[in-house]
Amino acid sequence: MNGPLQGIRVIDLATVVMGPYAAQILGDLGADVIKVEPPTGDRTRRIHPQRHETMSALAMTVNRNKRSLAVDLKTDEGRAALLALVKTADVVITNMRPGALRRLGLDHDALAAVNPRLIYCTAQGFRSDSALADRAAYDEIIQASSGLTDLMRRATGDPAYVPTILADKVCALTIVYSVLAAVVHQQRTGEGQHIEVPMADTMLAFNLVEHLNGLTFDPPEGPVGFPRSMSAGHRAVRTADGWACILPYDERNIRDFFTFAGRPELGDDPRFATPAARAAHHGDLYELIAELAATHTTAEWEELCAAHSIPMAPVLDLDDAPTDPYVTEGGVLSTAEHPTEGRYRVIGIPVRFSATPGAIRRHAPNVGEHNDELLAELAQPAAEETS
């Protein structure tokens, strides 16, 4: 089996992380993904670290399960090759800005004229019908524009970026589920459509799920910001020998935690006796957890919490991820041999299908690695039509 999307062809006409990551996930699920990139390669290929000039660590991560077609879309030949490919495709994903797509003659109307059943997914920083449509947008821009940077200010005192490209990856997942929904419709009706995933809108919706909070009501019933997440003490705590997340959640958890920490009287503290009382005193609870966590080792807390169903996890040092038993036993990280890059670590497919499991079928391709193969495939139908 080659995954539930076997037989679906996706053109990855995207750069950097968001679009390529979305296309990679579709490839993991069995789609035939063709990465169309310039002859110099997608800019992600040049981000260090790397062993060779056009194959960065990031490119190896987001370009697996793809074939590479390297063409210059500013030339008649390059555009013709892409349009021939579009005729055979089910999905196109791009994060080019609307103006650039129009100038290249690669907007939705142009490609739908070639393939009316095409699902055409555009993902850019801001809505195409807004005054910001052609603004450049990277992850940090969207973190700021969506309120995420302000959430960091409210929680820590300083407006800061989350130390991961959260907007790129959340929007990539949004592309994936949107495309899959459109594929269901396409398979049922034969109709294509244009999907637009504006990053700012996507992240605003994502951030406001819990943080709209009191502003949900009109007039407001309280401030914005989810209190538990915004509490100053909402952080990992230092144990006697390391760091852990210890999160007593209900009254029984709280009693068991304080008893083990040698402060059983706090188990009956009225500040923590009911959900409403805890909501008003999250900060107090977190301060006490931080103070008492140091009385035992991480392993002792882990044993106690497992025995009493208290949510808890040791803090994983990313340096330890390649040897952590949970990570290695489940295939979250494994090693493989790339034809040109040598031995490297592969991030596994986290979702499991009982009947149609995904698979890593292809290493990340080099720039234009499949030009001859793909151009021959595209020429074959034309030859058959004239025979």
Side-chain angles (χ1 to χ4, degrees):
M1 301 298 294
N2 288 318
L5 295 184
Q6 184 178 7
I8 301 297
R9 173 167 283 186
V10 176
I11 299 176
D12 173 8
L13 192 60
T15 62
V16 195
V17 174
M18 175 179 59
Y21 181 41
Q24 173 239 293
I25 293 171
L26 296 172
D28 288 352
L29 298 180
D32 175 22
V33 180
I34 300 166
K35 180 177 182 64
V36 178
E37 55 187 324
T40 54
D42 174 6
R43 71 183 69 176
T44 308
R45 292 182 176 275
R46 294 183 288 280
I47 297 174
H48 285 253
Q50 58 185 203
R51 287 175 177 165
H52 296 93
E53 188 176 356
T54 57
M55 187 64 82
S56 68
L58 187 54
M60 292 180 72
T61 298
V62 299
N63 288 323
R64 70 180 185 217
N65 281 336
K66 300 179 186 180
R67 294 187 283 173
S68 170
L69 177 67
V71 294
D72 184 351
L73 295 177
K74 295 179 181 179
T75 67
D76 291 341
E77 295 83 358
R79 188 170 180 277
L82 176 62
L83 293 179
L85 189 59
V86 166
K87 290 180 181 180
T88 72
D90 299 286
V91 179
V92 168
I93 296 172
T94 181
N95 64 340
M96 292 187 195
R97 284 179 255 173
L101 290 166
R102 286 192 297 271
R103 287 191 297 273
L104 289 168
L106 299 175
D107 58 356
H108 171 252
D109 290 346
L111 297 195
V114 172
N115 182 354
R117 67 186 299 279
L118 184 70
I119 296 165
Y120 182 87
C121 180
T122 53
Q124 69 285 333
F126 304 93
R127 291 187 306 277
S128 61
D129 59 355
S130 73
L132 305 179
D134 278 308
R135 289 269 184 97
Y138 287 89
D139 189 272
E140 295 89 345
I141 304 302
I142 301 304
Q143 289 197 33
S145 299
S146 65
L148 185 56
T149 303
D150 181 59
L151 284 172
M152 293 295 291
R153 178 190 65 80
R154 291 168 183 263
T156 68
D158 292 309
Y161 307 129
V162 178
T164 182
I165 47 174
L166 187 66
D168 276 349
K169 292 186 285 187
V170 167
C171 292
L173 297 176
T174 304
I175 291 169
V176 170
Y177 74 67
S178 301
V179 164
L180 293 178
V183 166
V184 171
H185 177 76
Q186 179 197 60
Q187 298 293 304
R188 191 165 52 217
T189 66
E191 293 179 353
Q193 60 183 301
H194 181 194
I195 302 169
E196 183 175 305
V197 181
M199 296 178 71
D201 303 54
T202 300
M203 288 305 296
L204 273 163
F206 178 83
N207 292 331
L208 291 176
V209 167
E210 78 277 33
H211 288 296
L212 187 58
N213 202 38
L215 207 60
T216 302
F217 302 97
D218 189 10
E221 292 293 333
V224 296
F226 191 57
R228 185 166 68 86
S229 299
M230 307 306 292
S231 298
H234 188 242
R235 59 183 183 272
V237 294
R238 187 182 289 278
T239 66
D241 62 349
W243 293 89
C245 170
I246 304 174
L247 201 66
Y249 206 78
D250 58 21
E251 293 86 350
R252 177 176 290 180
N253 284 172
I254 289 169
R255 284 196 298 270
D256 289 338
F257 171 84
F258 284 128
T259 297
F260 187 71
R263 296 289 303 279
E265 73 282 2
L266 290 172
D268 296 318
D269 192 307
R271 293 175 295 174
F272 317 131
T274 65
R278 287 194 295 279
H281 297 95
H282 280 305
D284 295 341
L285 179 59
Y286 292 149
E287 285 181 14
L288 285 167
I289 292 171
E291 175 188 328
L292 297 171
T295 59
H296 295 284
T297 66
T298 301
E300 289 169 339
W301 280 119
E302 190 168 19
E303 182 179 1
L304 175 279
C305 291
H308 293 276
S309 295
I310 299 172
M312 180 272 183
V315 172
L316 174 66
D317 187 320
L318 288 179
D319 283 334
D320 296 332
T323 57
D324 180 85
Y326 182 84
V327 174
T328 56
E329 289 167 8
V332 180
L333 275 180
S334 60
T335 57
E337 193 76 22
H338 191 280
T340 61
E341 307 309 304
R343 193 167 180 80
Y344 76 110
R345 288 194 173 90
V346 181
I347 301 171
I349 300 172
V351 181
R352 298 183 176 189
F353 291 76
S354 64
T356 57
I360 300 174
R361 307 178 308 281
R362 296 177 181 271
H363 301 287
N366 285 290
V367 180
E369 180 178 331
H370 301 95
N371 271 36
D372 292 345
E373 175 183 317
L374 287 165
L375 293 174
E377 286 180 16
L378 294 174
Q380 188 174 356
E384 291 172 353
E385 288 172 9
T386 58
S387 62

